[in-house]
Amino acid sequence: FCVAQNYAQHAVEMGSSGREDPFFFMKPASSVVPVAAGTVQPVPYPSGTQSLHHEVELVVALGRCGSNVDPARAEELIYGYAVGLDLTRRDLQTALKAKGRPWEIAKGFEASGPVGAIMPREEVGTLVRGGIRLSVDGEERQSGDLDQMIWNVNEIISHLSRHWSLVAGDIVFTGTPAGVGAVVRGNHLQGSIDGLDGIQVELV
Ligand code: MN
């Protein structure tokens, strides 16, 4: 599951007021590329786009099932956290949005969701604040804080669980801070969140 426009400044750069409720889309399992800590994972630049965008995100991995979960108990479903990249064919997404069509081609392509090492909540604690950053070839492009989420992780889990039966193994991309932009073949992307192992990919 992925949350769209969950940081106000990013919502504004995507053309909304920044005050709208977040909403959800999905990526298929084939989107996920596990990336081991300390390695640089090659990720293919996808076909059909001239504007592949980076979005660094906190990924929440669920370890328990739940439906209609109260926000106050949502934390119990969390197994752990990782740094993820929601790679986006922005030009296609913009065209689909204009026509009111679904986003799958823009968001759900193969290898569109690299995910770093999942670190157990038991070890790293419950993440509610902390820096989240992305650099391209060593130059910082995105920088924010987890406490800038419009809907926090517990609220996201609660909301999702009212519409889907969540199961252990589900992962949730929780939205990206401002500063998204295009990347090209050969770029080295480095994502980080305070308290977690970072993620590094190279577009090939
Ligand atoms: Mn995203």
Side-chain angles (χ1 to χ4, degrees), residues 3 25 55 57 86 107 175-176:
V3 186
F25 61 95
E55 298 187 358
E57 310 205 359
D86 170 14
K107 288 287 196 178
T176 196

Side-chain angles (χ1 to χ4, degrees), residues 73-134:
R73 306 204 62 177
E75 198 173 297
E76 297 170 13
L77 270 64
I78 300 171
Y79 168 75
Y81 308 96
V83 183
L85 301 176
D86 170 14
L87 298 175
T88 303
R89 288 161 159 155
R90 190 72 73 199
D91 44 358
L92 300 190
Q93 184 195 31
T94 301
L96 292 164
K97 275 185 181 175
K99 293 184 175 179
R101 291 180 178 170
W103 292 356
E104 269 74 4
I105 283 178
K107 288 287 196 178
F109 54 92
E110 287 169 26
S112 63
V115 175
I118 296 172
M119 305 182 69
R121 188 168 64 95
E122 277 184 2
E123 290 178 17
V124 299
T126 299
L127 297 188
V128 293
R129 66 185 62 82
I132 174 170
R133 289 168 224 89
L134 182 123

Side-chain angles (χ1 to χ4, degrees), residues 46-185:
S47 63
T49 182
Q50 307 299 318
S51 184
L52 181 71
H53 272 209
H54 56 77
E55 298 187 358
V56 64
E57 310 205 359
L58 173 68
V59 171
V60 177
L62 303 187
R64 292 177 64 179
C65 305
S67 298
N68 299 309
V69 178
D70 189 274
R73 306 204 62 177
E75 198 173 297
E76 297 170 13
L77 270 64
I78 300 171
Y79 168 75
Y81 308 96
V83 183
L85 301 176
D86 170 14
L87 298 175
T88 303
R89 288 161 159 155
R90 190 72 73 199
D91 44 358
L92 300 190
Q93 184 195 31
T94 301
L96 292 164
K97 275 185 181 175
K99 293 184 175 179
R101 291 180 178 170
W103 292 356
E104 269 74 4
I105 283 178
K107 288 287 196 178
F109 54 92
E110 287 169 26
S112 63
V115 175
I118 296 172
M119 305 182 69
R121 188 168 64 95
E122 277 184 2
E123 290 178 17
V124 299
T126 299
L127 297 188
V128 293
R129 66 185 62 82
I132 174 170
R133 289 168 224 89
L134 182 123
S135 65
V136 178
D137 295 341
E139 181 182 323
E140 188 168 275
R141 295 277 191 91
Q142 292 185 266
S143 179
D145 194 289
L146 300 179
D147 69 7
Q148 296 166 339
M149 288 185 191
I150 297 171
W151 282 16
N152 66 35
V153 170
N154 287 343
E155 291 167 331
I156 291 165
I157 291 171
S158 175
H159 190 102
L160 283 169
S161 77
R162 298 203 294 271
H163 301 282
W164 289 275
S165 298
L166 301 177
V167 300
D170 281 344
I171 63 173
V172 183
F173 284 69
T174 58
T176 196
V180 301
V183 282
V184 298
R185 276 193 186 87

